[in-house]
Amino acid sequence: MRTDKTLYIYTLLLLLVFLTGCWDRKEIEEVGIVLGIGLDQSDEKESNHQSISMLHQFAVPKQFAASDTGTSQKDYINLVSEGDTVLKNIREMSTRADRPPSYEHLRIIVISQALARDIDLKRITNFVLRNTDTRRSIRVVIDEGNAKDIFEKRGISTNPSLLLRALSDNYKTSLTMPSESKLGDISEKLTGKTSFIVPGVETTDAGVKSAGGAVIKGSLAKMIGWLDEEEVAGLNILKGEKRQNGIVKGTDPMSGEAIVYEIRTIKSKIKPKFKGNHISFEVKIHTVGKLREDWVDPGNAFKSELIKRAEQATEASIRESVGKTLSKMQKSLKVDVAGFGTKVRIENPRIWNKLKEDWDEEFSEMPVEVKVNVKIQEFGTKGAKNG
């Protein structure tokens, strides 16, 4: 009997565990949901350190986004703080907001070009990642101007943070946009002193648009320059990024008229060649796609002669774009953001260990041969061929 009573008590205690509910739950009205963060240089200095101006964009729940007169109001509010560290900014923000900031729904971090060129970016990524609320998938972009302006741009009907997040996810639709930059990936590259690019954005009279890519030098953890949209396209082709589509414009070698090619698939293979201590690279690019538009011999897209010229025109355009990107990387910026060093590390670890500390400088002097093969298999609504 006593055993049954003891078992009964233990069963009741176990059931209590499932009846406690969400003991740490906070109602949505009690927290400040941060959707976006903007980071700029401040005009102030503290203890001889450059201060950071930090903007928090808070979401305003729909029930509060209407005025007493019934007219619709903005569904967000921006608050700006200044301090020499990210933590100090957040602490100062907590003293001004009526609800403590919550970063569980943070969608985007925008860093101004001026700050990215001046500050060690690990100072930003390390703290944000240590916050238990934040996620490694948060997108990061760099603004050509002030980050504050892009969050206060008038004429944007959508919440700026959500618009910027959506814009960063559109990279699969265009060769001129870099791949998304996630906070966690950036942190890993900075820790490994690997150079990379971050999508750039800018404000225009019409709103917000993509603006090439900011080049981050891994050994400095700072921005050192830009790739324009054509150079970003060359980089994407060079890396063989997986994309849904992308457009390449070429010129027909016979008539000089425009040829527009749409990429369906693209593969790129970077092959290092070792001869003693000398390293060179061979890059093979192969793409299959459609002839989307041509201003040459309308109606004759089935003619193999025209298809051959279209393939040649596209190959020439790709070589030119990739060549421009390589020149920018090797001669102007002297930085490897295409993964050439990774190929050397994999295929010859001994040589890599000798060169890795000064890889960017070493890479700037290495010859790169680019071979391009284009295969047109479809002609849009005009037809398709086999093989």
Side-chain angles (χ1 to χ4, degrees):
M1 186 71 177
R2 183 172 181 179
T3 302
D4 292 342
K5 186 176 182 180
T6 302
L7 180 61
Y8 178 74
I9 293 173
Y10 278 127
T11 302
L12 289 177
L13 290 174
L14 182 62
L15 287 174
L16 288 175
V17 174
F18 298 98
L19 296 175
T20 54
C22 299
W23 60 271
D24 61 343
R25 185 185 69 180
K26 293 183 179 179
E27 298 296 335
I28 190 172
E29 295 86 358
E30 298 175 357
V31 297
I33 299 174
V34 181
L35 295 179
I37 289 177
L39 296 155
D40 288 303
Q41 271 188 335
S42 170
D43 295 331
E44 304 296 328
K45 283 192 175 183
E46 295 186 19
S47 303
N48 294 323
H49 287 91
Q50 177 68 53
S51 288
I52 299 172
S53 177
M54 189 171 183
L55 178 145
H56 281 66
Q57 184 160 93
F58 291 91
V60 177
K62 290 183 178 180
Q63 62 265 38
F64 301 122
S67 67
D68 294 336
T69 60
T71 57
S72 178
Q73 302 294 314
K74 292 190 301 185
D75 61 353
Y76 63 90
I77 184 172
N78 295 331
L79 293 179
V80 179
S81 60
E82 293 190 358
D84 60 347
T85 67
V86 175
L87 178 60
K88 187 171 183 179
N89 271 280
I90 292 176
R91 290 290 180 265
E92 198 270 338
M93 181 62 61
S94 297
T95 66
R96 297 172 52 203
D98 58 348
R99 296 185 293 272
S102 170
Y103 300 96
E104 288 186 64
H105 302 282
L106 181 60
R107 291 292 181 265
I108 194 83
I109 296 175
V110 182
I111 306 171
S112 71
Q113 174 183 188
L115 185 64
R117 288 181 181 272
D118 181 65
I119 193 175
D120 185 329
L121 294 175
K122 291 193 295 292
R123 289 179 57 192
I124 296 173
T125 58
N126 285 351
F127 175 81
V128 178
L129 281 172
R130 286 173 182 170
N131 191 315
T132 56
D133 288 345
T134 56
R135 301 178 182 180
R136 296 175 61 85
S137 60
I138 297 167
R139 305 296 192 271
V140 180
V141 297
I142 291 182
D143 192 343
E144 285 190 343
N146 293 323
K148 177 182 176 181
D149 294 340
I150 209 165
F151 284 106
E152 296 180 345
K153 179 66 179 176
R154 295 183 180 180
I156 299 178
S157 58
T158 308
N159 181 293
S161 294
L162 301 182
L163 174 63
L164 287 166
R165 173 59 180 260
L167 182 65
S168 72
D169 288 338
N170 284 343
Y171 70 93
K172 291 183 179 180
T173 65
S174 173
L175 281 174
T176 62
M177 293 179 65
S179 297
E180 59 192 356
S181 285
K182 298 180 181 179
L183 183 64
D185 295 336
I186 289 176
S187 177
E188 289 179 7
K189 290 174 181 176
L190 291 174
T191 301
K193 297 184 178 180
T194 302
S195 299
F196 58 99
I197 66 170
V198 174
V201 293
E202 65 177 351
T203 55
T204 66
D205 292 339
V208 181
K209 70 178 293 291
S210 171
V215 179
I216 311 299
K217 189 174 179 67
S219 59
L220 300 177
K222 294 180 181 180
M223 176 182 168
I224 61 169
W226 283 96
L227 295 182
D228 63 27
E229 292 187 351
E230 182 182 351
E231 291 161 347
V232 168
L235 179 63
N236 287 331
I237 293 171
L238 188 62
K239 295 168 67 177
E241 294 280 18
K242 295 180 179 179
R243 293 172 179 274
Q244 292 178 346
N245 56 49
I247 299 297
V248 178
K249 181 181 177 182
T251 302
D252 176 47
M254 182 176 292
S255 66
E257 296 291 351
I259 295 235
V260 180
Y261 169 83
E262 182 181 23
I263 294 173
R264 289 186 60 196
T265 63
I266 185 166
K267 296 180 180 179
S268 175
K269 184 177 181 180
I270 299 175
K271 178 70 176 178
K273 297 181 177 181
F274 305 96
K275 190 174 181 180
N277 292 325
H278 178 76
I279 302 176
S280 62
F281 292 92
E282 179 184 77
V283 181
K284 291 184 178 180
I285 298 167
H286 177 72
T287 173
V288 176
K290 297 180 180 180
L291 177 58
R292 293 293 291 175
E293 181 180 358
D294 74 84
W295 292 40
V296 185
D297 298 327
N300 293 324
F302 285 104
K303 288 187 176 181
S304 59
E305 178 187 352
L306 175 60
I307 295 304
K308 187 64 177 177
R309 293 196 335 246
E311 290 173 343
Q312 291 173 350
T314 305
E315 288 170 356
S317 180
I318 288 176
R319 277 194 296 270
E320 181 180 359
S321 180
V322 170
K324 183 179 179 182
T325 302
L326 284 169
S327 179
K328 186 69 167 287
M329 286 196 301
Q330 292 187 294
K331 305 307 177 186
S332 177
L333 300 176
K334 295 188 176 182
V335 65
D336 172 20
V337 293
F340 286 88
T342 300
K343 299 298 182 181
V344 174
R345 176 178 58 81
I346 293 172
E347 296 202 18
N348 199 321
R350 181 182 60 82
I351 290 182
W352 171 251
N353 288 332
K354 292 181 180 180
L355 301 178
K356 63 181 181 180
E357 295 300 326
D358 300 305
W359 172 251
D360 284 334
E361 290 291 333
E362 296 286 348
F363 171 70
S364 66
E365 302 296 329
M366 294 177 180
V368 181
E369 180 185 10
V370 179
K371 297 180 179 179
V372 182
N373 178 259
V374 173
K375 190 74 171 177
I376 294 176
Q377 287 190 336
E378 297 184 33
F379 318 126
T381 59
K382 291 184 178 181
K385 67 176 183 178
N386 297 322

